[in-house]
Amino acid sequence: MTAMTPAPAPDPQHDVPGRIMAREMAEQPAVLRRLLQEGAPAIRQVAQDIAARAPRFVLLTARGTSDNAALYAKYLLEIRLGLPCGLTSMSTTTAYGARPDLTDVLVITVSQSGGSPDLVASTRAAREAGAITLAVTNNPDSPLAGVSEYHVDIMAGPEKALPATKTYTASLLALYLLVEGLRGGDGGAAKVLPDLAEQLLARQDEVRALAARYRFAERMVITSRGYGYPTAKEAALKLMETSYIPALSYSGADLLHGPLAMVDNVSPVIAVVTDGRGGEALQPVLDRLRGRGADLFVVGPAHQVEQASAGFVLPTEGVAEEVQPILEILPLQLLAHEITIARGQDPDAPRALAKVTETH
């Protein structure tokens, strides 16, 4: 008589809201380690091949969370390489049929899935127009990777939750390693990240207490400057897509040009304060916010958090400014997760969203 294979034990966490997002956030230290140990050599080779072709400037193409990763790459490319770059408007190609001359232009398309039709179409058009095309995705078998001349695999593993977490930080690290490779660097500043990420994610109880403070917020403003600005934009996106709280992200410089008028002592302001030149540039904005009596929540160095209404201290000593965004987003991912659960919603499955957004 053949023995029957026992059925798998039921998952006791199956119906727990946010369990998938929580698991994927917790995977981030391992993803960063894998990318540094296994992915870095391939990224370095791609960078060397592209550098040998001496692109004259860079265009970055992306949507959603990947667009925020692309913005981070823009800061890296302009600051670290002195290479002019811009963010593309895909509709000029996909809707209007424009065909600019892209000879010797590096076009980097960032996409978690590599499946969005507009990204594939615009990348194909860029390659036909003479561009050097590079796809940065979590799927080396994707249509986007197929139409691109070069590909970088961010090696994050399957991402099931609709809000992107581990693919965002993996994209940041992959783009950092790419830019370092383009400039002939070794990317050594990233080596501290996996261990520090593990320490930050272990501080979930701190974030849960902050979520209790902000669960009833009707609006949030998130601001930063320099390398921290993409973090502000990504944090706003995470809060909106999970908790449905309207979250407005501004460069600190732009905040002073009008939007500061809406800041009061009711709506929280989250300031992402990178330790370095970006944080120094943000200081006058922080002073103005305190002067208006804002409920100021700072993510950054201890001395900045001490001057705020609330905050989360980041380890910044010995962490280069250009890699701090890979750590800055972690407590803000946790905050979006905890606020959403505190509001009785499930961050794993935001309403009206799909994992692959099919725009044209």
Side-chain angles (χ1 to χ4, degrees), residues 204-226:
Q204 190 165 356
D205 288 347
E206 284 182 52
V207 178
R208 193 170 290 122
L210 291 165
R213 177 187 178 102
Y214 295 117
R215 61 180 292 194
F216 296 114
E218 295 183 0
R219 180 186 68 202
M220 287 189 177
V221 174
I222 309 179
T223 188
S224 189
R225 291 202 69 180

Side-chain angles (χ1 to χ4, degrees), residues 312-328:
F312 187 97
V313 175
L314 290 177
T316 56
E317 186 176 352
V319 183
E321 181 179 3
E322 60 268 20
V323 299
Q324 289 178 35
I326 299 169
L327 301 177
E328 290 167 349

Side-chain angles (χ1 to χ4, degrees), residues 5-178:
T5 303
D11 179 359
Q13 299 291 312
H14 179 71
D15 294 323
V16 176
R19 70 182 180 87
I20 302 174
M21 184 180 176
R23 183 183 68 227
E24 291 174 351
M25 287 189 293
E27 290 174 15
Q28 289 176 105
V31 170
L32 297 176
R33 284 193 186 95
R34 180 163 62 244
L35 195 52
L36 286 169
Q37 293 168 5
E38 300 175 25
I43 296 173
R44 190 178 304 113
Q45 184 60 59
V46 167
Q48 289 173 353
D49 291 350
I50 292 173
R53 297 172 65 174
R56 54 194 174 98
F57 61 87
V58 182
L59 290 175
L60 293 144
T61 305
R63 296 283 194 203
T65 284
S66 293
D67 199 35
N68 299 326
L71 180 58
Y72 168 71
K74 184 177 187 294
Y75 277 93
L76 285 172
L77 287 159
E78 292 184 342
I79 295 169
R80 305 285 286 172
L81 263 68
L83 198 58
C85 60
L87 303 176
T88 62
S89 299
M90 278 175 281
S91 61
T92 62
T93 298
T94 60
Y96 291 92
R99 292 295 183 267
D101 180 3
L102 299 179
T103 304
D104 298 328
V105 174
L106 173 59
V107 173
I108 303 174
T109 307
V110 187
S111 171
Q112 298 146 34
S113 69
S116 296
D118 56 349
L119 295 170
V120 175
S122 64
T123 301
R124 182 186 293 112
R127 189 169 181 179
E128 291 170 354
I132 305 162
T133 52
L134 166 64
V136 179
T137 82
N138 196 36
N139 183 1
D141 299 319
S142 63
L144 178 60
V147 300
S148 301
E149 187 174 358
Y150 298 100
H151 178 258
V152 163
D153 184 357
I154 66 172
M155 304 180 70
E159 190 170 59
K160 303 293 186 181
L162 285 175
T165 54
K166 63 178 182 175
T167 53
Y168 177 69
T169 49
S171 295
L172 295 189
L173 179 55
L175 289 163
Y176 168 75
L177 293 172
L178 174 73

Side-chain angles (χ1 to χ4, degrees), residues 221-252:
V221 174
I222 309 179
T223 188
S224 189
R225 291 202 69 180
Y227 286 115
Y229 181 41
T231 306
K233 291 177 68 67
E234 173 62 10
L237 178 60
K238 282 293 155 285
L239 283 162
M240 287 189 288
E241 70 183 355
T242 56
S243 70
Y244 317 139
I245 295 173
L248 308 173
S249 60
Y250 295 99
S251 157

